Amino acid sequence: MSSKRRDYFARGRPDLNSSGIGVSIGANKYKSRDPRMVSLSGHLDADAFDKRYGFLDDVQDKEIELLQRRVNAWKKSGKKGQKERKKLGMMGGGGSLEEDKEELIRLTQERAERKKATVVRAAKRSVKQKMREDVAAGKRAAYYPKRKEIRRMEAEAKYEEIRKRGGDDAVNKAIEKRRKKNVSKAAKSMP
């Protein structure tokens, strides 16, 4: 029987290996899972993650610095620009000014979001710690605050964290930014 003929008649038959066990049936087949989407992988401890992979921030900072130098090299014209591009190894024709700019914007936004998330986490941690201390000191019984109270305490802690990092000017700037955002949101919702 020719191979084409054998293939034709074997169309609907399950594939078998040498021991006669079906291999394409799919029973007990390994299925890969994305740990971000499945809770079977456990709970993500963001602080532990930051400690373990903190070196990636340094790597990303170096990458941002390199991209800034590349963008500046693209902007320079003439011999200076050519010399700068050659120094950065950009003469092969790979990449363009637009691609480098997009990548730079993406990385800087990612870094800013990560810093913001760190501040929020630190604020939440300080609120929880303060509540635990109050319970331990006997100032209050173990009680579960309302969502509104938690939000208020987190906001206070967040601004305190911002004050630690950048002083009163940074807090004023953050409050002003939030105020502008709320005003624009209110303006959009008006008929």
Side-chain angles (χ1 to χ4, degrees):
M1 190 185 307
S2 70
S3 63
K4 282 185 179 180
R5 190 172 164 85
R6 190 178 329 116
D7 290 345
Y8 177 78
F9 285 114
R11 280 176 304 167
R13 190 180 71 205
D15 294 331
L16 302 176
N17 62 14
S18 60
S19 61
I21 298 169
V23 288
S24 66
I25 294 171
N28 299 327
K29 189 177 173 189
Y30 174 76
K31 293 184 187 82
S32 60
R33 291 191 190 100
D34 188 348
R36 295 169 298 176
M37 307 302 168
V38 182
S39 61
L40 292 170
S41 303
H43 174 69
L44 170 69
D45 185 1
D47 296 324
F49 182 87
D50 285 345
K51 281 181 187 169
R52 284 191 194 114
Y53 299 102
F55 68 94
L56 290 176
D57 294 341
D58 302 331
V59 171
Q60 193 176 46
D61 289 342
K62 287 178 186 171
E63 200 174 335
I64 287 172
E65 183 191 328
L66 177 68
L67 278 168
Q68 286 171 339
R69 286 176 46 204
R70 283 178 63 109
V71 167
N72 290 337
W74 280 115
K75 286 180 180 176
K76 288 180 185 173
S77 59
K79 290 270 188 194
K80 263 188 177 176
Q82 200 171 17
K83 190 176 178 184
E84 191 74 24
R85 286 191 288 277
K86 192 173 185 180
K87 192 175 159 185
L88 291 170
M90 298 164 54
M91 297 304 284
S96 68
L97 175 63
E98 289 77 27
E99 288 175 10
D100 286 346
K101 273 185 177 178
E102 284 175 17
E103 184 69 9
L104 181 64
I105 289 168
R106 186 185 69 77
L107 289 176
T108 49
Q109 284 177 345
E110 199 176 284
R111 182 173 60 179
E113 284 173 16
R114 198 170 43 252
K115 284 183 179 177
K116 190 177 174 185
T118 305
V119 168
V120 169
R121 267 200 318 275
K124 284 185 178 183
R125 195 181 317 112
S126 68
V127 166
K128 285 180 181 176
Q129 188 177 357
K130 187 175 183 297
M131 288 172 64
R132 277 194 216 106
E133 287 170 0
D134 287 350
V135 169
K139 290 182 184 175
R140 65 166 73 165
Y143 105 110
Y144 302 98
K146 295 178 186 139
R147 234 186 238 138
K148 187 177 179 179
E149 291 175 33
I150 290 174
R151 272 199 217 110
R152 183 184 52 76
M153 288 189 286
E154 283 174 1
E156 286 173 6
K158 179 181 165 189
Y159 289 123
E160 193 57 44
E161 192 72 28
I162 292 171
R163 181 174 282 118
K164 280 183 200 170
R165 290 171 187 239
D168 290 333
D169 292 337
V171 173
N172 292 338
K173 189 177 174 184
I175 290 172
E176 191 60 36
K177 195 174 178 182
R178 185 158 183 81
R179 195 173 288 135
K180 281 182 183 176
K181 185 180 170 186
N182 288 340
V183 165
S184 68
K185 200 185 281 185
K188 282 180 188 174
S189 65
M190 280 190 168

